[in-house]
């Protein structure tokens, strides 16, 4: 229970930081500027130091799920992928939200709504005693049926706790059965090379009869700035 409380607290802080980072987006901002802001906000809220860094991706850079922030400047129409994570009181938070800056194309909106539906579909099926691969399948099915199957290029998620990435592997290859008390990520994404990327990630806690989503920051499509 003490560890669960620590994970809940870390995710509450993560919600606050992602909201502040989104509010700070402005034309001409660089990815590194926003990533540095995220680090600073985490420190102000008592986070531990980490060498991991933050993932901030504008526009076409978002099509690389592991793009490291650089000097790319924010422009109208860009998708903005914010994947932020750090230990707080030794326990990790990890979440991703994607927003659009000043405008969103029809394709961007379609991709976003597909990823959101995949995220919600996966979270809806989580309960004790199910193989992890079935959770991955629930999300992947939504993306495949929308025609974007080849563009969901990674596992659905990973365990999280005293390390950011730890067992169990939330993937199509994992037969581990879920148990109450497990915490892992649910992070489907669609990545269109040269155009944009969208990922939506929550941490979830398996309960006795389902799951508790630890992140409360909204998942509705946002056009900001």
């Amino acid at each position: 229970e003490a560890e669960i409380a620590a994970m809940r607290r870390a995710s509450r802080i993560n919600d606050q930081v992602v909201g502040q980072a989104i509010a700070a987006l402005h034309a001409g901002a660089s990815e590194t500027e926003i990533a540095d802001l995220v680090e600073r906000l985490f420190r102000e809220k008592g986070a531990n130091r980490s060498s991991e860094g933050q993932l901030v991706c504008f526009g076409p850079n978002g099509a690389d799920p592991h793009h490291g922030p650089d000097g790319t400047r924010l422009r109208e129409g860009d998708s903005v992928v914010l994947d932020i994570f750090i230990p707080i009181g030794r326990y990790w938070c990890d979440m991703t939200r994607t927003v659009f800056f000043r405008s969103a194309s029809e394709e961007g909106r379609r991709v976003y709504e597909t990823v959101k539906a995949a995220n919600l579909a996966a979270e809806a099926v989580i309960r004790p005693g199910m193989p992890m691969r079935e959770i991955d399948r629930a999300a992947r099915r939504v993306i495949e049926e929308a025609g974007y199957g080849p563009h969901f290029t990674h596992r659905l998620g990973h365990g999280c706790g005293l390390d950011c990435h730890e067992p169990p592997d939330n993937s199509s290859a994992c037969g581990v059965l879920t148990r109450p008390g497990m915490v892992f990520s649910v992070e489907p994404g669609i990545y269109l090379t040269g155009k944009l990327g969208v990922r939506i990630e929550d941490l979830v806690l398996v309960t006795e009869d389902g799951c508790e989503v630890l992140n409360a920051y909204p998942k509705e499509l946002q056009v900001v700035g």
Side-chain angles (χ1 to χ4, degrees), residues 11 97 119 123 202-205 211-216 219:
S11 284
R97 290 295 185 268
N119 171 275
E123 292 173 355
D202 299 311
L203 288 184
V204 300
L205 165 70
C211 80
E212 174 187 342
V213 179
L214 299 186
N215 296 103
K219 290 185 271 196

Side-chain angles (χ1 to χ4, degrees), residues 102-154:
R102 293 189 174 169
S103 65
S105 68
E106 284 305 309
E107 182 174 47
R109 290 175 181 273
R110 184 165 59 251
V111 167
Y112 188 92
E113 294 299 338
T114 300
V115 172
K116 184 179 77 169
N119 171 275
L120 295 174
E123 292 173 355
V125 303
I126 297 170
R127 63 187 185 279
M130 68 183 308
M132 297 294 290
R133 59 175 171 258
E134 291 187 16
I135 306 169
D136 180 286
R137 185 62 194 145
R140 204 166 297 275
R141 184 182 300 112
V142 172
I143 292 174
E144 289 172 350
E145 289 177 353
Y148 292 106
H151 303 286
F152 180 13
T153 56
H154 55 74

Side-chain angles (χ1 to χ4, degrees), residues 14-15 17-18 21 38 42 53-56 82-86 93-96 201:
N14 211 358
D15 286 337
V17 171
V18 81
V38 169
F42 273 135
Q54 307 298 328
L55 300 185
V56 177
L82 294 159
D83 187 343
I84 65 174
F85 43 92
I86 206 163
C93 57
D94 186 12
M95 72 179 295
T96 307
E201 174 186 13

